[in-house]
Amino acid sequence: MKRIGVLTSGGDAPGMNATVRAVVRSALQNNMSVVGFKRGYNGVLMRSSVQTDDFTMLTARSVSDKIHRGGTFLMTARCLEFKERQYQEQAVKNLKLLGVEGLVCIGGDGTFHGANALRELGYPVIGVPGTIDNDLDYTEVTIGFDTALNTACDCVNKIRETSDSHERASIITVMGRNCGDIAVSTALACGAEICIIPEKPWTIEEIADQVRWGVLRGKRSMIMVFAEGAVNSLKSNVAEICASHESLSDISPRHLSSSQIAMMIEALSGHETRATVLGYTQRGGSPTAADRILASRLGAYAVHLLRDDQYGLAVGMRKGELIADPIETAMHGRTAANEELLSLITELS
Ligand code: F6P
């Protein structure tokens, strides 16, 4: 291949810039030029009035001073039209028009679905896992996860201090969509008492019991790390709980917020409980050294595969080794919880 393209798509993740840098520098070393597409697949569809708004040639200097920066300088977006065949075909036409012979797609499962659609049309793609969620089953780790985890830990440590001073319980919501990995690792790393994740059914009643029990054991604070998707694995009859407590009468069981979950835990445990949503803080910030190294390895590996005419693959890590799996299987999300870490959280709390 003489020219390849690169894009970042879906939710941004710390380390995306480091990945693009690795792709560009490795491609140039291997005598390939690189086109950077902006705003994910939107750039490939080339619908802006000004061409430079959709894509740009990337040089070694375009990626200077980027390895340590959060966000993505190529920008990112979710492109809903890209689910339709006509847009996918348009993308292949545009790529060929620009002489781009292969595309490196950096992102999560949505990005991989887009890349797989291009593969089905016979276009050479490589997927690189860039998402804080760590929710792709084929790889042990995704770019951005470690940074998000460290950010979450930093916040939980702070919340622990104030919770301790006030002798409160705290429920802290972390990101991860339908995957509990950020929550489980944060909980273990921060010595949280409780971890609630989408992969495991749970009830308000049992959490309230655990809070009561922790207080009886003399704990000054009770930290509960709550994965955002865990609202879907709640098995309590919320209407019934709310009907039996005056303070919960305003809660609508259909759209539960974490403050409302905190209110219910407080009502049932009798222990003051507060909620904090960490939100987008987890997606920003300078990538950790681990994420920069991962990004550099995976980005360069993606280029090596394209150079060697191997494509339709997603790169990742298993047992510390680089791997490349067919992208059509790599786009599947993880559904199983990490039982070992979960039981360690309980054992050590
Ligand atoms: O997939 C990354 C992620 O940050 C998820 O953890 C979260 O559920 C989602 O993206 C938020 O997406 P958006 O940027 O569209 O609000």
Side-chain angles (χ1 to χ4, degrees), residues 57-206:
M57 291 307 294
L58 295 174
T59 64
R61 293 288 71 77
S62 327
V63 291
S64 294
D65 198 31
K66 294 280 189 285
I67 193 167
H68 60 298
R69 302 216 181 264
T72 160
F73 79 99
L74 285 179
M75 298 172 281
T76 186
R78 304 190 202 276
C79 179
L80 292 180
E81 297 99 308
F82 211 75
K83 291 183 177 158
E84 294 171 36
R85 193 52 100 189
Q86 68 180 104
Y87 290 100
Q88 299 158 2
E89 286 170 351
Q90 185 61 52
V92 172
K93 267 192 211 148
N94 293 348
L95 288 161
K96 288 186 174 164
L97 193 75
L98 292 175
V100 175
E101 297 170 271
L103 186 64
V104 178
C105 305
I106 307 164
D109 61 338
T111 307
F112 280 17
H113 273 90
N116 187 47
L118 297 178
R119 179 199 63 84
E120 285 171 355
L121 292 171
Y123 190 81
V125 292
I126 298 283
V128 181
T131 165
I132 64 165
D133 298 341
N134 205 33
D135 57 349
L136 294 164
D137 206 24
Y138 79 100
T139 180
E140 279 165 3
V141 66
T142 58
I143 297 160
F145 173 69
D146 187 66
T147 309
L149 169 59
N150 279 284
T151 302
C153 286
D154 217 35
C155 298
V156 172
N157 292 341
K158 290 174 177 149
I159 294 168
R160 169 77 83 182
E161 287 175 357
T162 168
S163 302
D164 241 11
S165 311
H166 286 265
E167 297 173 271
R168 281 174 180 153
S170 270
I171 180 158
I172 301 148
T173 304
V174 297
M175 277 187 169
R177 214 180 279 272
N178 300 314
C179 177
D181 272 26
I182 297 179
V184 171
S185 294
T186 304
L188 184 58
C190 294
E193 280 69 23
I194 297 169
C195 181
I196 308 163
I197 57 169
E199 296 90 337
K200 292 261 168 196
W202 62 285
T203 65
I204 303 279
E205 292 86 338
E206 71 197 9

Side-chain angles (χ1 to χ4, degrees), residues 4-8 15-35 58-69 72-74 104 106 126 128 143 287 290-307 315 322:
I4 63 168
V6 61
L7 58 80
T8 53
M16 277 183 161
N17 281 326
T19 316
V20 175
R21 171 185 181 270
V23 168
V24 172
R25 295 269 169 97
S26 173
L28 295 175
Q29 282 292 322
N30 286 281
N31 303 315
M32 293 183 264
S33 59
V34 187
V35 178
L58 295 174
T59 64
R61 293 288 71 77
S62 327
V63 291
S64 294
D65 198 31
K66 294 280 189 285
I67 193 167
H68 60 298
R69 302 216 181 264
T72 160
F73 79 99
L74 285 179
V104 178
I106 307 164
I126 298 283
V128 181
I143 297 160
D291 270 331
R292 295 179 205 186
I293 292 167
L294 181 66
S296 303
R297 292 182 77 190
L298 294 183
Y301 187 37
V303 172
H304 298 166
L305 289 169
L306 285 176
R307 176 199 63 196
V315 295
L322 291 167

